[in-house]
Amino acid sequence: GQQLNQSPQSMFIQEGEDVSMNCTSSSIFNTWLWYKQDPGEGPVLLIALYKAGELTSNGRLTAQFGITRKDSFLNISASIPSDVGIYFCAGQLGLSGTASKLTFGTGTRLQVTL
Amino acid sequence: GAVVSQHPSWVICKSGTSVKIECRSLDFQATTMFWYRQFPKQSLMLMATSNEGSKATYEQGVEKDKFLINHASLTLSTLTVTSAHPEDSSFYICSARDQGASNQPQHFGDGTRLSIL
């Protein structure tokens, strides 16, 4: 099946640094979502974006829905050790039925060193 | 908030066994639930869309006779891996959305790790 391209694939950063990752698609989505997954657990929703151009924050996290509807980025400011994990973007065409299925990105693995 | 529960969280069984995994929405109703599979160090790949009261919609390449899905109520979907083999070992995750709320995103269960010996 289709996957969205995420970059970088992995990153090692120091505590306190800012992090930026992005997600691109060859096709349009009407909703973009960012999830974090810890080992052995299901993804947890971080931010949901519903409008092209929308910029939304959730604490230290900020995400934007690209104006072309084919991309999105996630920024994490002042990283802390508990930010470690795998971050996935996901695109969605609609909000009901089969259209609400998610297409996931390839993931960005974040490691934070003290 | 919306909670999705999966059971069991871990299954180890012999090759040829059939395994049933349950996905429940605990405090909301969901006419649609989704089943994903995730292999180690990979992303989540959608297997099928589970539709309450009707047949599931399978993604290309997913065998419907191998992965049986039943969505008999608005809060429960089950995935049965029939005659499981080692190559079916994976992390299976379900998701659901509160159909009664607008602009509500999907929430995921904690996954089921399936290991076939």
Side-chain angles (χ1 to χ4, degrees), chain A residues 48-95:
Chain A
L49 302 156
Y50 298 103
K51 271 190 199 175
E54 179 182 352
L55 183 72
T56 297
S57 293
N58 177 10
R60 294 180 294 108
L61 277 60
T62 302
Q64 184 156 31
F65 189 149
I67 198 72
T68 65
R69 299 189 178 189
K70 291 184 178 181
D71 61 343
S72 177
F73 72 73
L74 174 71
N75 287 342
I76 305 173
S77 63
S79 57
I80 58 178
S82 61
D83 290 334
V84 165
I86 304 177
Y87 292 78
F88 289 105
C89 63
Q92 188 177 39
L93 281 174
L95 292 177

Coordinates of all heavy atoms in Angstrom, one line a residue, chain A residues 48-95:
Chain A
A48 N -3.8 17.2 15.3 CA -4.6 16.9 14.1 C -4.8 18.3 13.3 O -5.1 19.3 14.0 CB -6.0 16.4 14.5
L49 N -4.7 18.2 12.0 CA -4.8 19.4 11.2 C -5.9 19.2 10.1 O -5.9 18.2 9.4 CB -3.4 19.7 10.5 CG -2.2 19.8 11.4 CD1 -1.0 19.5 10.7 CD2 -2.2 21.3 11.9
Y50 N -6.8 20.1 10.0 CA -8.0 19.9 9.2 C -8.1 20.9 8.0 O -9.0 20.7 7.1 CB -9.3 20.0 10.0 CG -9.3 19.0 11.1 CD1 -9.0 19.3 12.4 CD2 -9.6 17.6 10.8 CE1 -9.1 18.3 13.4 CE2 -9.7 16.7 11.8 CZ -9.4 17.0 13.1 OH -9.5 16.1 14.1
K51 N -7.2 21.9 8.0 CA -7.3 22.9 6.9 C -6.0 23.2 6.3 O -5.0 23.3 7.0 CB -7.9 24.2 7.4 CG -9.3 24.4 7.5 CD -9.6 25.9 7.8 CE -11.0 26.0 8.3 NZ -11.3 27.4 8.8
A52 N -5.9 23.3 5.0 CA -4.7 23.6 4.3 C -4.2 25.0 4.8 O -4.9 25.9 5.0 CB -4.9 23.7 2.8
G53 N -2.9 25.0 5.2 CA -2.3 26.2 5.7 C -2.4 26.3 7.2 O -1.7 27.1 7.9
E54 N -3.2 25.5 7.9 CA -3.4 25.5 9.3 C -2.1 25.3 10.1 O -1.3 24.4 9.7 CB -4.5 24.5 9.7 CG -4.8 24.4 11.2 CD -5.8 23.3 11.5 OE1 -6.4 22.7 10.6 OE2 -6.0 23.1 12.7
L55 N -1.9 26.1 11.1 CA -0.7 25.9 12.0 C -1.3 25.7 13.4 O -2.1 26.6 13.9 CB 0.2 27.2 12.0 CG 1.4 27.1 12.8 CD1 2.4 26.2 12.2 CD2 2.0 28.5 12.9
T56 N -1.0 24.6 14.0 CA -1.6 24.2 15.3 C -0.5 23.9 16.3 O 0.5 23.2 15.9 CB -2.5 23.1 15.1 OG1 -3.6 23.5 14.3 CG2 -3.1 22.6 16.5
S57 N -0.6 24.3 17.5 CA 0.3 24.0 18.6 C -0.3 23.1 19.7 O -1.5 23.3 19.9 CB 0.9 25.2 19.2 OG 1.7 25.9 18.3
N58 N 0.5 22.3 20.3 CA 0.1 21.5 21.4 C 1.3 21.5 22.4 O 2.2 20.6 22.3 CB -0.3 20.1 21.0 CG -0.7 19.2 22.2 OD1 -0.9 19.7 23.3 ND2 -0.9 17.9 21.9
G59 N 1.3 22.4 23.3 CA 2.5 22.5 24.2 C 3.7 22.9 23.4 O 3.8 23.9 22.7
R60 N 4.7 22.0 23.5 CA 6.0 22.3 22.8 C 6.0 21.8 21.4 O 6.9 22.0 20.6 CB 7.1 21.6 23.5 CG 7.4 22.1 24.9 CD 8.6 21.3 25.6 NE 8.2 19.9 25.9 CZ 8.7 18.9 25.2 NH1 9.6 19.1 24.2 NH2 8.3 17.7 25.5
L61 N 4.8 21.3 20.9 CA 4.7 20.8 19.6 C 4.0 21.8 18.7 O 3.0 22.3 19.1 CB 4.0 19.4 19.6 CG 4.7 18.2 19.9 CD1 5.4 18.2 21.2 CD2 3.8 17.0 19.7
T62 N 4.5 21.9 17.5 CA 3.8 22.8 16.5 C 3.8 22.0 15.2 O 4.8 21.4 14.8 CB 4.5 24.1 16.3 OG1 4.6 24.8 17.5 CG2 3.7 25.0 15.3
A63 N 2.6 22.0 14.5 CA 2.5 21.3 13.2 C 1.8 22.2 12.2 O 1.0 23.0 12.6 CB 1.8 20.0 13.4
Q64 N 2.1 22.0 11.0 CA 1.4 22.8 9.9 C 1.0 21.9 8.8 O 1.7 20.9 8.4 CB 2.3 23.9 9.3 CG 1.6 24.7 8.3 CD 2.2 26.1 8.1 OE1 3.4 26.3 8.3 NE2 1.4 27.1 7.8
F65 N -0.2 22.2 8.3 CA -0.8 21.5 7.1 C -0.4 22.3 5.9 O -0.7 23.5 5.7 CB -2.3 21.6 7.3 CG -3.1 20.8 6.4 CD1 -4.4 20.3 6.8 CD2 -2.8 20.6 5.1 CE1 -5.2 19.5 6.0 CE2 -3.6 19.8 4.2 CZ -4.8 19.3 4.7
G66 N 0.4 21.7 5.0 CA 0.9 22.4 3.8 C -0.2 22.9 2.9 O -1.2 22.3 2.8
I67 N 0.1 24.0 2.3 CA -0.9 24.7 1.5 C -1.3 23.9 0.3 O -2.4 24.0 -0.3 CB -0.4 26.1 1.1 CG1 -1.5 27.0 0.6 CG2 0.7 26.0 0.1 CD1 -2.4 27.4 1.7
T68 N -0.4 23.0 -0.2 CA -0.7 22.2 -1.3 C -1.5 20.9 -0.9 O -1.9 20.2 -1.8 CB 0.6 21.7 -2.0 OG1 1.4 20.8 -1.1 CG2 1.5 22.9 -2.4
R69 N -1.6 20.7 0.3 CA -2.3 19.5 0.9 C -1.5 18.2 0.7 O -2.0 17.1 1.0 CB -3.7 19.3 0.3 CG -4.6 20.4 0.6 CD -6.0 20.1 0.2 NE -6.9 21.2 0.5 CZ -8.2 21.1 0.4 NH1 -8.8 19.9 0.0 NH2 -9.0 22.1 0.7
K70 N -0.2 18.4 0.3 CA 0.6 17.2 0.0 C 1.7 17.1 1.0 O 2.6 16.3 0.9 CB 1.2 17.3 -1.4 CG 0.1 17.1 -2.5 CD 0.8 17.0 -3.8 CE -0.2 16.8 -4.9 NZ 0.4 16.8 -6.2
D71 N 1.8 18.0 2.0 CA 2.8 17.9 3.0 C 2.4 18.5 4.4 O 1.5 19.2 4.5 CB 4.1 18.5 2.5 CG 4.0 20.0 2.2 OD1 2.8 20.5 2.1 OD2 5.0 20.7 2.1
S72 N 3.3 18.1 5.4 CA 3.0 18.6 6.7 C 4.4 18.6 7.4 O 5.2 17.7 7.1 CB 2.0 17.8 7.4 OG 1.8 18.2 8.8
F73 N 4.6 19.5 8.4 CA 5.8 19.3 9.2 C 5.4 19.4 10.7 O 4.3 19.9 11.1 CB 6.8 20.4 8.9 CG 6.4 21.8 9.4 CD1 6.5 22.2 10.7 CD2 6.1 22.8 8.4 CE1 6.1 23.5 11.1 CE2 5.7 24.1 8.8 CZ 5.8 24.4 10.2
L74 N 6.3 18.8 11.5 CA 6.1 18.8 13.0 C 7.4 19.4 13.6 O 8.5 18.9 13.2 CB 5.8 17.4 13.5 CG 5.8 17.3 15.0 CD1 4.5 17.9 15.6 CD2 5.8 15.8 15.4
N75 N 7.2 20.3 14.5 CA 8.4 20.9 15.2 C 8.2 20.6 16.7 O 7.1 20.7 17.2 CB 8.5 22.4 15.0 CG 9.0 22.8 13.7 OD1 9.6 21.9 13.0 ND2 8.8 24.0 13.3
I76 N 9.3 20.2 17.4 CA 9.3 20.0 18.8 C 10.3 21.0 19.4 O 11.5 21.0 19.0 CB 9.7 18.6 19.2 CG1 8.7 17.6 18.5 CG2 9.6 18.4 20.7 CD1 9.2 16.1 18.7
S77 N 9.9 21.8 20.3 CA 10.8 22.8 20.8 C 11.4 22.3 22.2 O 10.7 21.6 22.9 CB 10.2 24.2 21.0 OG 9.1 24.1 21.9
A78 N 12.6 22.7 22.5 CA 13.2 22.4 23.8 C 13.0 20.9 24.2 O 12.3 20.6 25.2 CB 12.7 23.3 24.8
S79 N 13.5 20.0 23.4 CA 13.3 18.6 23.6 C 13.7 18.1 25.0 O 14.7 18.6 25.5 CB 14.0 17.8 22.5 OG 15.4 18.0 22.5
I80 N 13.0 17.1 25.4 CA 13.3 16.5 26.7 C 13.4 15.0 26.5 O 13.0 14.5 25.5 CB 12.2 16.8 27.8 CG1 10.8 16.3 27.3 CG2 12.2 18.3 28.1 CD1 9.7 16.6 28.3
P81 N 14.0 14.2 27.5 CA 14.2 12.8 27.3 C 12.9 12.0 26.9 O 13.0 11.1 26.2 CB 14.8 12.4 28.6 CG 15.6 13.6 29.1 CD 14.7 14.7 28.7
S82 N 11.8 12.4 27.5 CA 10.6 11.6 27.2 C 10.0 11.9 25.8 O 9.1 11.2 25.4 CB 9.5 12.0 28.2 OG 9.2 13.4 28.1
D83 N 10.7 12.7 25.0 CA 10.3 12.9 23.6 C 10.8 11.7 22.7 O 10.4 11.6 21.6 CB 10.8 14.2 23.0 CG 10.2 15.4 23.6 OD1 9.0 15.3 24.1 OD2 10.8 16.5 23.7
V84 N 11.6 10.9 23.3 CA 12.2 9.7 22.6 C 11.0 8.9 22.1 O 10.1 8.6 22.8 CB 13.1 8.9 23.5 CG1 13.4 7.5 22.9 CG2 14.4 9.6 23.7
G85 N 11.1 8.4 20.9 CA 10.1 7.6 20.3 C 10.0 7.7 18.8 O 10.9 8.3 18.2
I86 N 9.0 7.1 18.2 CA 8.9 7.1 16.8 C 7.7 8.0 16.5 O 6.6 7.8 17.0 CB 8.7 5.7 16.2 CG1 9.8 4.8 16.5 CG2 8.6 5.8 14.6 CD1 9.7 3.4 16.0
Y87 N 7.9 9.0 15.6 CA 6.8 9.9 15.2 C 6.4 9.5 13.8 O 7.1 9.4 12.9 CB 7.4 11.3 15.2 CG 7.7 11.8 16.6 CD1 8.8 11.4 17.3 CD2 6.8 12.6 17.3 CE1 9.1 11.8 18.6 CE2 7.0 13.0 18.6 CZ 8.2 12.6 19.3 OH 8.5 13.0 20.6
F88 N 5.1 9.4 13.7 CA 4.4 9.1 12.4 C 3.5 10.2 12.0 O 2.7 10.7 12.8 CB 3.6 7.8 12.5 CG 4.4 6.6 12.6 CD1 4.5 5.9 13.8 CD2 5.1 6.0 11.5 CE1 5.3 4.8 14.0 CE2 5.9 4.9 11.7 CZ 5.9 4.2 12.9
C89 N 3.6 10.6 10.7 CA 2.5 11.4 10.1 C 1.5 10.5 9.5 O 1.8 9.3 9.2 CB 3.1 12.4 9.1 SG 3.8 11.5 7.6
A90 N 0.3 11.0 9.3 CA -0.7 10.2 8.7 C -1.7 11.1 7.9 O -2.0 12.2 8.4 CB -1.5 9.4 9.7
G91 N -2.1 10.7 6.7 CA -3.0 11.4 5.9 C -4.3 10.7 5.9 O -4.4 9.5 5.9
Q92 N -5.4 11.6 5.7 CA -6.7 11.0 5.7 C -7.5 11.8 4.7 O -7.4 13.1 4.6 CB -7.3 11.2 7.1 CG -8.7 10.6 7.3 CD -9.1 10.8 8.8 OE1 -8.9 11.9 9.4 NE2 -9.7 9.8 9.4
L93 N -8.3 11.1 3.9 CA -9.1 11.8 2.9 C -10.4 12.4 3.4 O -10.8 13.5 3.1 CB -9.4 10.9 1.7 CG -8.2 10.6 0.7 CD1 -8.6 9.6 -0.3 CD2 -7.9 12.0 0.0
G94 N -11.1 11.6 4.2 CA -12.4 12.0 4.7 C -12.6 11.7 6.2 O -11.7 11.1 6.8
L95 N -13.7 12.0 6.8 CA -13.9 11.7 8.2 C -14.9 10.6 8.5 O -15.2 10.4 9.7 CB -14.4 13.1 8.9 CG -13.4 14.2 8.9 CD1 -14.0 15.4 9.5 CD2 -12.1 13.8 9.7

